[in-house]
Amino acid sequence: MPAASLTTKTALVTGSTSGIGLGIARSLAAEGANIIFNGFGDRQEIQKLQTSVETEFGVRTAYHNADMSKAVEIEAMMDFASSFGGVDILVNNAGIQHVANIEDFPVDKWDAIIAINLTSCFHTTRLALPYMKQKNWGRIINLASVHGLVASAQKSAYVAAKHGLVGFTKTTALETAQTGITCNAICPGWVLTPLVQKQVDARAEKDNVDNETAKKRLLAEKQPSGEFVTPEQLGALAVFFCSTAADQIRGVAWNMDGGWVAQ
Ligand code: NAD
């Protein structure tokens, strides 16, 4: 087995108590990175998650419950991360979705999506960069979406936030271009997580079909492979972005989407 590549690194993965963030946290831990978890959930379940990752991969973990819609709480989390050893790998992953036509879109949902899916990434990045610059090494990985590259109806706030995040990724990459810090975005298509299961449930209700049929219909509309992308596949891409082979990959928005944006 090849030696783990990230044994001296600490990764902060926002929104890592579920779905894609958890998959990426596990993949980075498998390479030896210590993990700072963040996200909502039952405290005891999160403790179990931490213990299982520590036992399985022999790494240290910590948890901070910052609400990513609140700058003050993000600042507290980044202070906490410094005391844990500093953030070498920052994965901006926390995100929410809401689906509605623009004229019906609740203003508070718009504000929350922009705050969590976009503005939080500015806060974590601005607070992580000084430490990364001091070490002249860092990896910033932004979980955008195919919706950072193309749009879908009824997802105005999400599409705006994810396009914004792809732009922010490019600016971050340019400002760090002559350092050992890289910043890139990952743009997944459909991944079957709680965020997407809600949309499957809504589709099942609307079409009066079962869960499996609703999944097939969602995939058929957008994702030519007809298969979901998995958190493990996204985790492997994140690990690659952390490797030396990826030293000169800067400012890309890399889609892993079963062919969604090739159409
Ligand atoms: P998920 O709902 O499974 O997980 C979201 C995570 O974010 C959870 O840990 C949750 O607790 C956390 N979170 C939500 N609001 C938060 C807040 N205010 N503060 C702190 N944590 C918060 O969702 P997911 O599908 O794993 O999505 C993860 C990311 O991937 C999101 O940015 C999403 O937009 C993006 N994405 C998902 C898909 C997909 O098909 N699932 C596709 C493209 C992009």
Side-chain angles (χ1 to χ4, degrees):
M1 202 170 87
S5 56
L6 300 174
T7 43
T8 59
K9 309 298 186 198
T10 295
L12 167 63
V13 186
T14 70
S16 45
T17 53
S18 165
I20 295 170
L22 178 56
I24 290 179
R26 287 181 53 79
S27 297
L28 295 174
E31 288 298 317
N34 296 319
I35 305 292
I36 303 171
F37 287 94
N38 157 261
F40 297 145
D42 176 73
R43 189 64 194 91
Q44 277 187 336
E45 288 302 314
I46 295 169
Q47 183 56 60
K48 273 195 217 157
L49 197 75
Q50 284 182 251
T51 307
S52 77
V53 168
E54 286 170 7
T55 313
E56 193 173 345
F57 304 114
V59 299
R60 291 195 306 135
T61 75
Y63 166 73
H64 196 281
N65 66 354
D67 179 338
M68 299 304 289
S69 68
K70 299 194 167 74
V72 190
E73 294 192 20
I74 296 172
E75 282 165 11
M77 178 177 69
M78 297 308 283
D79 279 348
F80 169 80
S82 302
S83 67
F84 189 70
V87 177
D88 303 293
I89 300 164
L90 169 63
V91 183
N92 285 314
N93 166 82
I96 58 167
Q97 174 64 288
H98 186 78
V99 181
N101 283 329
I102 295 168
E103 64 272 32
D104 303 324
F105 213 93
V107 171
D108 62 334
K109 292 282 186 207
W110 173 279
D111 289 342
I113 289 175
I114 299 297
I116 297 164
N117 297 17
L118 177 59
T119 309
S120 75
C121 307
F122 159 66
H123 290 303
T124 52
T125 301
R126 73 180 168 82
L127 296 165
L129 278 175
Y131 171 83
M132 290 180 178
K133 284 187 175 166
Q134 200 186 320
K135 286 200 145 182
N136 197 32
W137 195 90
R139 291 291 187 262
I140 301 172
I141 300 172
N142 293 327
L143 261 291
S145 165
V146 284
H147 287 114
L149 304 169
V150 294
S152 292
Q154 282 95 41
K155 294 188 177 173
S156 55
Y158 190 84
V159 168
K162 296 298 187 183
H163 274 67
L165 186 53
V166 168
F168 182 64
T169 300
K170 292 177 187 170
T171 297
T172 309
L174 291 179
E175 291 188 15
T176 54
Q178 294 187 357
T179 73
I181 305 161
T182 70
C183 178
N184 293 293
I186 296 179
C187 299
W190 290 120
V191 187
L192 191 57
T193 65
L195 182 142
V196 162
Q197 186 59 49
K198 277 190 209 154
Q199 295 171 67
V200 173
D201 294 343
R203 184 62 183 258
E205 198 182 317
K206 182 169 153 269
D207 294 3
N208 194 24
V209 294
D210 64 18
N211 191 52
E212 284 311 305
T213 310
K215 280 184 200 164
K216 285 199 184 102
R217 287 189 185 177
L218 275 186
L219 285 168
E221 273 171 11
K222 300 278 188 181
Q223 200 145 298
S225 66
E227 290 180 3
F228 289 102
V229 178
T230 67
E232 292 73 24
Q233 290 164 342
L234 293 163
L237 181 56
V239 167
F240 170 65
F241 278 144
C242 293
S243 71
T244 49
D247 277 354
Q248 292 308 328
I249 300 181
R250 295 173 183 269
V252 306
W254 188 316
N255 45 311
M256 185 184 272
D257 63 359
W260 184 318
V261 304
Q263 297 168 97

